[in-house]
């Protein structure tokens, strides 16, 4: 498999949970937990990118590599592009963006999304998806849906329930009859050269409507490979309740090991 680099954007001032990267999880800062998971993926290099020196110091104290980045980035992708430039990564380098609030992320998923991009030299991005098995998820606008072509490339992403089953959705369905629906999992692999272009494009009209950044790439004619995730993708930490849930899960896991 081709080598890849993992970058973990970790912004300190999260609106819903300030200081989230340094939140304690069984004695270890959350960002260090994420870094540890990424190190198990087979990545050639794992770098934490933060706008706060305290986050960088925590990672370095654990033996990791951290890089200070600007504090005015509008998204994690912009921070990723800054890191790719600062590290002088060659244009074809595969860079996996691992969110700094996913301490339960399976390392195998990181390797899978990198491999999917490596397997399609015409694609600029790869990501993951999982089957939707219940109507509630299909109709939930916070669960992003994706449809693919025969090569596994994304045709479109939407917060709406796509594809629309014209024959059976005239009324609210009680159950899904097939496995035609896929939920997008927000784990991305990019080519470093693409990142430099992406952050210089203005948000596209469809991106602004759906509030989905990946639609900018489709708007400009780039291919996005979508692999079916082999592992269950646990939810990340967006709130204090999520943090408590993750703390309990990790304590149970470590107690059982």
């Amino acid at each position: 498999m081709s080598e890849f680099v993992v970058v973990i954007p970790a912004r300190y001032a999260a609106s819903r949970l300030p200081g989230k990267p340094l939140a304690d999880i069984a004695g270890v800062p959350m960002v260090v937990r994420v870094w540890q998971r990424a190190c198990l993926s087979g990545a050639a290099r794992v770098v934490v990118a933060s706008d706060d020196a305290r986050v960088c110091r925590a990672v370095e104290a654990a033996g990791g590599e951290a890089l200070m980045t600007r504090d005015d980035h509008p998204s994690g992708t912009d921070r990723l592009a800054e890191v790719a430039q600062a590290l002088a990564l060659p244009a074809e380098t595969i860079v996996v963006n691992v969110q700094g609030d996913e301490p339960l992320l399976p390392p195998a998923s990181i390797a899978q999304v990198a491999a999917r991009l490596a397997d399609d030299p015409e694609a600029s991005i790869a990501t993951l998806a999982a089957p939707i098995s219940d109507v509630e998820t299909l109709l939930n606008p916070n669960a992003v849906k994706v449809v693919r072509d025969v090569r596994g490339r994304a045709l479109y992403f939407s917060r709406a329930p796509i594809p629309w089953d014209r024959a059976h959705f005239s009324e609210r369905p009680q159950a899904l009859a097939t496995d035609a629906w896929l939920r997008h999992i927000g784990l991305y692999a990019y080519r470093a050269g693409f990142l430099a272009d992406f952050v210089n494009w203005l948000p596209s009209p469809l991106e602004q409507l759906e509030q989905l950044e990946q639609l900018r790439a489709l708007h400009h004619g780039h291919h996005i490979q979508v692999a079916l995730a082999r592992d269950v993708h646990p939810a990340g930490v967006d709130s204090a309740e999520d943090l408590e849930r993750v703390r309990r899960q990790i304590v149970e896991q470590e107690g059982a090991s």
Side-chain angles (χ1 to χ4, degrees):
M1 177 184 157
S2 299
E3 285 193 350
F4 62 94
V5 174
V6 171
V7 177
I8 305 171
R11 189 170 66 90
Y12 184 82
S15 57
R16 296 184 64 185
L17 200 61
K20 182 165 63 170
L22 298 181
D24 181 90
I25 300 179
V28 179
M30 178 159 58
V31 69
V32 173
R33 293 272 182 187
V34 178
W35 169 78
Q36 290 170 338
R37 304 287 281 186
C39 287
L40 297 174
S41 69
R45 190 173 186 179
V46 180
V47 182
V48 173
S50 182
D51 58 355
D52 194 286
R54 289 168 290 185
V55 175
C56 292
R57 287 196 296 268
V59 172
E60 291 166 349
E65 181 180 3
L67 183 69
M68 279 289 295
T69 53
R70 289 166 29 199
D71 62 1
D72 60 347
H73 285 304
S75 73
T77 310
D78 291 271
R79 198 176 307 280
L80 204 70
E82 181 186 352
V83 173
Q85 182 179 28
L87 299 180
L89 298 179
E92 286 305 305
T93 302
I94 293 175
V95 183
V96 181
N97 182 0
V98 171
Q99 298 298 322
D101 58 4
E102 297 194 15
L104 296 173
L105 179 66
S109 293
I110 301 172
Q112 182 185 6
V113 75
R116 188 57 175 251
L117 185 55
D119 288 343
D120 187 346
E122 294 181 351
S124 300
I125 308 175
T127 190
L128 300 178
I132 294 174
S133 58
D134 62 278
V135 174
E136 288 69 29
T137 299
L138 181 64
L139 299 180
N140 182 354
N142 294 316
V144 176
K145 275 66 70 172
V146 59
V147 290
R148 309 185 298 167
D149 69 12
V150 70
R151 294 167 294 182
R153 292 173 176 173
L155 291 169
Y156 192 64
F157 296 85
S158 182
R159 298 183 183 279
I162 58 171
W164 183 260
D165 187 346
R166 184 178 178 184
H168 299 101
F169 281 9
S170 57
E171 298 180 2
R172 180 185 171 95
Q174 299 302 311
L176 301 180
T178 74
D179 58 357
W181 293 274
L182 296 175
R183 175 177 60 86
H184 176 229
I185 295 172
L187 178 65
Y188 292 98
Y190 303 90
R191 299 192 191 279
F194 167 79
L195 284 168
D197 294 332
F198 182 85
V199 296
N200 287 317
W201 297 331
L202 293 174
S204 67
L206 289 174
E207 173 189 354
Q208 292 176 307
L209 282 172
E210 296 260 19
Q211 292 295 294
L212 296 174
E213 194 178 66
Q214 60 270 40
L215 293 177
R216 192 185 316 176
L218 295 183
H219 178 80
H220 285 273
H222 285 261
H223 299 304
I224 302 177
Q225 270 289 347
V226 183
L228 293 180
R230 300 190 192 102
D231 295 83
V232 175
H233 192 92
V237 176
D238 290 323
S239 65
E241 293 75 19
D242 291 336
L243 180 58
E244 289 305 314
R245 169 183 52 78
V246 168
R247 282 171 171 161
R248 289 192 299 271
Q249 287 178 269
I250 287 181
V251 167
E252 290 172 1
Q253 288 175 2
E254 295 183 344
S257 62

